[in-house]
Amino acid sequence: MDGAVSRGPGKVERAIEAAFVASPDAAFSVAELGPVAYPGLNRVEKRHRVAIIRAADRVASRLWWAKLISERPGGEVIYCNTLNVRSYALGRSRADFCFNNLPLEVVVRLIEAPIPDDPYAYRSRWDLVRPGGAWWKHVEIAKARKAGDIAEAERVSEELRADVAQQFAALKGRR
């Protein structure tokens, strides 16, 4: 044999996988995975972040999680579960330029049904998350693909494309 033979997932990868499995409706940044991967570490350095990203990428590909890059300077890396609409919405919102500066508790409020008199209600993303919403459909497509039901994935994709076309047509009519 030439070269090293892998002995399976290392401790960082196992710790990240345990976190993903234990919290399927959460979204994690690399900074949040630091204490998971390296318990007791005072400061997560670049070498730790690199190891976390490599391990999380491997875990994400196995568990149908997505790696999103934040649309802000520094490009924070966010991992979210493509099979869970709450996790997907949290990940997409935390990576979005207009929402990534908000505290996590506000982002969580924005993906839930709006509450009357909420000062952030005008920024609600509930229409994307609710059944039939775009992000809900993204999750349904991922679920169908995971199940091997390509016809269902294509059907929902076509439905999503039709919704987008309808929204663009409505915008054109506002001129």
Side-chain angles (χ1 to χ4, degrees):
M1 270 202 166
D2 59 335
V5 176
S6 175
R7 289 181 255 172
K11 85 172 172 120
V12 172
E13 195 172 328
R14 288 191 309 269
I16 291 170
E17 183 167 358
F20 285 5
V21 170
S23 301
D25 62 347
F28 297 93
S29 69
V30 172
E32 292 164 345
L33 289 172
V36 170
Y38 297 99
L41 188 67
N42 291 332
R43 190 175 100 123
V44 178
E45 298 173 5
K46 182 177 180 179
R47 62 191 171 109
H48 300 115
R49 287 191 302 273
V50 168
I52 290 167
I53 290 170
R54 283 183 183 155
D57 285 352
R58 286 191 294 272
V59 173
S61 67
R62 285 196 307 269
L63 299 182
W64 288 76
W65 282 58
K67 174 185 182 179
L68 307 173
I69 310 293
S70 176
E71 299 171 348
R72 66 177 171 187
E76 181 179 38
V77 176
I78 306 288
Y79 291 93
C80 64
N81 186 350
T82 63
L83 303 175
N84 181 290
V85 72
R86 184 177 189 280
S87 173
Y88 186 74
L90 283 173
R92 291 285 303 259
S93 295
R94 291 177 68 185
D96 187 291
F97 179 77
C98 295
F99 291 82
N100 65 21
N101 62 337
L102 297 174
L104 184 56
E105 61 271 5
V106 173
V107 173
V108 168
R109 252 189 6 237
L110 293 177
I111 65 168
E112 294 172 349
I115 300 168
D117 300 326
D118 183 346
Y120 289 100
Y122 72 98
R123 295 178 88 176
S124 175
R125 305 200 108 186
W126 175 244
D127 284 345
L128 298 168
V129 177
R130 67 169 174 69
W135 289 350
W136 181 85
K137 287 179 182 175
H138 288 189
V139 170
E140 293 302 306
I141 292 166
K143 287 178 180 177
R145 285 189 177 141
K146 182 177 186 223
D149 191 348
I150 303 306
E152 176 64 7
E154 284 302 315
R155 185 193 69 73
V156 177
S157 292
E158 187 52 43
E159 196 177 294
L160 184 58
R161 282 191 288 277
D163 290 350
V164 170
Q166 183 181 17
Q167 289 171 357
F168 275 125
L171 287 173
K172 278 184 167 179
R174 288 187 188 178
R175 288 186 188 181

